Amino acid sequence: MKTETTSSSSTLVWDLPVRLFHWLLVACFAGAWLTSDSEHWRLAHVWFGYGMAGLVGLRLVWGLVGTQHARFASFVRGPRAALAYLRSLLGPRPQHYLGHNPAGGLAIVGLLALIALTAASGYATYNELGGDWLEELHEFAADALLILVGVHLAGVVVGSFVHKENLVRAMITGRKPLPPETNT
């Protein structure tokens, strides 16, 4: 699928469904985290979790049938490619990707998997479908998710600095600058 361009200096990378997914997921994650320790807000916590689960389901579909940079096939590369990308950040000419880099691709897979595990274990706990071990699994998965979100945010900061591009703005506008040498 052809990437839309409006000028020679930037191109549309992240389409509206990807950007909406991202920011709605941020809102649901923040809401779920803020309501996690309050019995008074338990129902809100549950609904934020349902929202996250629904968003992950939609993102999985869009990752298979969506636009070029939304498809998992365009950015999920595996650990070897992720390590090569991370090593390149230490050199004078770091690898640059128009869409997600291989390390970011693995982080996305991890985030989606942890969200699914957190939501499923939370649903089972809320509906009393298992014992205390499900609640422990839910809390463990949520803590792991929080850590991976931190890694993701660190990656955004490092990527923005190394590649001299504002990745937060790109996730708002969908547009990224076109550098001279770019991997897809």
Side-chain angles (χ1 to χ4, degrees):
M1 183 172 279
K2 187 176 180 186
T3 303
E4 174 189 324
T5 58
T6 58
S7 74
S8 61
S9 63
S10 74
T11 187
L12 182 67
V13 177
W14 290 302
D15 59 19
L16 185 60
V18 168
R19 296 188 327 260
L20 284 174
F21 160 79
H22 181 271
W23 294 113
L24 287 171
L25 191 63
V26 168
C28 286
F29 178 80
W33 184 75
L34 290 171
T35 59
S36 64
D37 289 332
S38 170
E39 196 61 39
H40 179 74
W41 291 102
R42 186 172 189 201
L43 191 57
H45 178 76
V46 168
W47 280 104
F48 283 125
Y50 289 158
M52 290 174 68
L55 286 166
V56 166
L58 291 171
R59 183 62 181 97
L60 290 175
V61 170
W62 198 242
L64 297 174
V65 302
T67 56
Q68 176 185 355
H69 296 291
R71 283 190 230 128
F72 299 126
S74 75
F75 63 84
V76 177
R77 298 281 183 244
R80 189 170 291 150
L83 287 172
Y85 170 76
L86 292 172
R87 271 191 300 255
S88 82
L89 295 177
L90 301 173
R93 296 187 56 178
Q95 296 173 7
H96 186 269
Y97 290 79
L98 189 55
H100 292 292
N101 64 62
L106 284 184
I108 290 168
V109 169
L111 288 166
L112 293 174
L114 281 172
I115 292 166
L117 178 61
T118 305
S121 59
Y123 175 84
T125 299
Y126 182 69
N127 289 291
E128 299 176 357
L129 300 177
D132 290 340
W133 71 273
L134 278 173
E135 187 173 353
E136 294 296 323
L137 176 62
H138 179 69
E139 290 178 12
F140 174 80
D143 289 344
L145 180 58
L146 184 60
I147 291 167
L148 192 51
V149 165
V151 170
H152 169 67
L153 292 174
V156 168
V157 170
V158 169
S160 292
F161 177 76
V162 168
H163 299 298
K164 296 175 180 57
E165 59 188 9
N166 186 333
L167 293 175
V168 174
R169 180 177 37 203
M171 190 50 76
I172 293 169
T173 66
R175 305 192 72 75
K176 286 182 71 178
L178 273 175
E181 294 178 29
T182 301
N183 298 315
T184 54

